[in-house]
Amino acid sequence: MIGKPITGRSFGGCVRYVVNKQDAKIISAEGVRMQNAGTITHDFNLQRRMRPELGKAVGHLVLSWSKEDLSKLSDEIMVEQAKEYMDKVGICNTQFVVVRHHDREHPHLHVIYNRVDNNGNTITDKNNFAKNVKACKEITLKYGYHLGEGKDQVNRQALKGTEKTRYELFDIIKTTLKQSTDWKQLEAKLHKQGIGIAYKFRSGSTEVQGISFEKGDIKMKGSAIDRSLSYAGINTQLKVNRQMQQQQEIRRPDSLSLADQLREAIRQHGQADQLHLPIDGKGILETLLEPQFVAGPPDPMGDADIARRKRKKHEAEHSQSQGISR
């Protein structure tokens, strides 16, 4: 089960779209007459007058299940779980109408509710997306519904408004996060794409408690975009990226032994097959690595001593030859 929370200004437009759609079926309502779109709109607007300053008084939910769950869902069960969802996200003591549509393969319904409740109080829309994700997951697990395949499977072209922005942020942040190893890198890369980061600090300290992302006039908590984009989630991923980069640097050729560097150089030039070609019974690599004698620098003292000995020997031989000749 997945949900899509929306807020709007016009009950008339929203009600007509939901109620008048082909094969639409009103399956539940509270606080409004169900005769037609006109009576429903009139009753919503009547209660709305208690808070005339509230611009976006229209609450609209789209609740969808996987097509694999169709056999588990009757109108009555869908109504029960729509009410359970509303209770979990704090939509209570207000007018609402539940309408089931049949224009898609997967079962889904629309809930229109008044953000001005029966006592004239405003039903908050803060943290709508985070509360939506939590409620949908709890209901899905509780009743054993089919788990979705994740955000990668969502049709981006079909999204509109805030939900479209949420997925745009998800795609950009996820891609940029893969290319970053610390917060400064991530901030700089996101800034180039028009996305800002706002940190929430624990009261009276510099400890980061949460994170939000801003694009244009829209600001969303990281966890509301996706649970993996909470401050803790991103921080963990940056650490992993850093460790992977360090491991790659350790494996770089300039940190290898001479033998490994030679092997790597030969391999990169496509000459690995020549490693075992014999040269005087030895392979190329063995020949290159074989210790060689290298003459040291001349020893002045040693050279002088040798010359003196040679000179004495020469003089002795010369004297001996002269005595024999006499």
Side-chain angles (χ1 to χ4, degrees):
M1 175 183 172
I2 60 173
K4 180 179 178 182
I6 307 166
T7 56
R9 298 178 181 277
S10 171
F11 277 112
C14 185
V15 170
R16 285 192 297 273
Y17 168 76
V18 171
V19 173
N20 293 340
K21 197 157 192 175
Q22 186 176 3
D23 294 327
K25 180 183 179 182
I26 299 175
I27 56 178
S28 183
E30 188 169 309
V32 296
R33 294 166 293 166
M34 296 190 296
Q35 285 90 331
N36 53 53
T39 59
I40 295 172
T41 300
H42 176 272
D43 293 345
F44 274 133
N45 282 328
L46 193 63
Q47 183 158 303
R48 179 184 193 171
R49 292 177 187 173
M50 289 192 287
R51 294 299 299 270
E53 75 282 4
L54 181 61
K56 293 185 176 181
V58 181
H60 180 193
L61 305 170
V62 184
L63 301 179
S64 305
W65 290 258
S66 171
K67 61 183 179 180
E68 284 83 354
D69 297 321
L70 183 60
S71 62
K72 302 177 183 179
L73 297 168
S74 63
D75 291 349
E76 291 75 16
I77 290 174
M78 292 175 77
V79 168
E80 287 177 7
Q81 283 162 28
K83 290 180 179 179
E84 185 175 347
Y85 172 96
M86 289 191 286
D87 184 61
K88 287 179 179 292
V89 299
I91 301 169
C92 55
N93 190 37
T94 192
Q95 301 166 305
F96 65 84
V97 60
V98 183
V99 183
R100 183 171 182 177
H101 283 181
H102 297 84
D103 58 333
R104 303 287 178 87
E105 287 187 1
H106 63 275
H108 66 285
L109 56 78
H110 294 253
V111 179
I112 303 173
Y113 66 94
N114 203 328
R115 291 190 59 223
V116 179
D117 73 12
N118 299 334
N119 298 324
N121 300 316
T122 300
I123 295 174
T124 182
D125 62 349
K126 289 183 179 179
N127 300 322
N128 263 3
F129 293 103
K131 290 186 290 188
N132 166 69
V133 171
K134 185 174 183 291
C136 287
K137 183 176 181 180
E138 288 176 355
I139 293 173
T140 297
L141 295 176
K142 179 179 179 181
Y143 297 103
Y145 293 130
H146 182 77
L147 289 169
E149 299 299 328
K151 289 184 172 62
D152 292 339
Q153 303 299 319
V154 174
N155 181 6
R156 269 54 170 174
Q157 282 71 31
L159 299 174
K160 296 180 181 179
T162 305
E163 192 72 356
K164 180 178 181 181
T165 303
R166 183 164 77 101
Y167 275 85
E168 287 176 352
L169 287 170
F170 173 81
D171 292 338
I172 294 172
I173 296 168
K174 274 290 190 179
T175 300
T176 307
L177 181 56
K178 293 178 183 178
Q179 305 165 357
S180 305
T181 57
D182 58 49
W183 283 99
K184 286 186 178 180
Q185 279 188 9
L186 182 63
E187 286 182 24
K189 291 177 184 293
L190 289 177
H191 180 72
K192 291 180 180 180
Q193 300 180 75
I195 298 174
I197 297 180
Y199 298 95
K200 180 182 178 182
F201 297 93
R202 190 178 296 278
S203 179
S205 73
T206 58
E207 180 185 351
V208 179
Q209 194 174 24
I211 188 172
S212 297
F213 295 92
E214 302 172 343
K215 183 177 183 183
D217 297 331
I218 296 177
K219 182 177 180 178
M220 291 187 187
K221 291 175 63 176
S223 58
I225 298 171
D226 190 77
R227 294 185 68 181
S228 66
L229 298 182
S230 65
Y231 175 78
I234 293 176
N235 206 39
T236 299
Q237 186 59 54
L238 289 172
K239 289 180 181 178
V240 171
N241 293 350
R242 236 179 354 259
Q243 291 171 355
M244 291 179 64
Q245 185 185 68
Q246 290 169 357
Q247 290 173 359
Q248 290 173 355
E249 288 177 351
I250 291 173
R251 297 190 187 102
R252 283 169 50 188
D254 57 4
S255 66
L256 300 177
S257 66
L258 175 61
D260 288 337
Q261 289 184 52
L262 287 170
R263 289 190 183 93
E264 181 65 16
I266 294 173
R267 185 190 66 76
Q268 290 180 358
H269 287 82
Q271 297 174 349
D273 57 333
Q274 298 181 22
L275 283 173
H276 303 292
L277 292 179
I279 297 179
D280 296 330
K282 300 177 181 178
I284 292 177
L285 189 58
E286 288 79 359
T287 302
L288 290 172
L289 296 177
E290 185 178 25
Q292 300 291 328
F293 171 76
V294 179
D299 180 359
M301 295 298 295
D303 291 347
D305 185 57
I306 292 172
R308 186 170 58 255
R309 290 179 183 180
K310 285 184 177 180
R311 186 169 59 254
K312 287 182 178 181
K313 182 180 180 181
H314 177 72
E315 290 174 353
E317 290 176 349
H318 181 67
S319 298
Q320 185 178 7
S321 64
Q322 285 184 343
I324 295 173
S325 63
R326 291 187 187 134

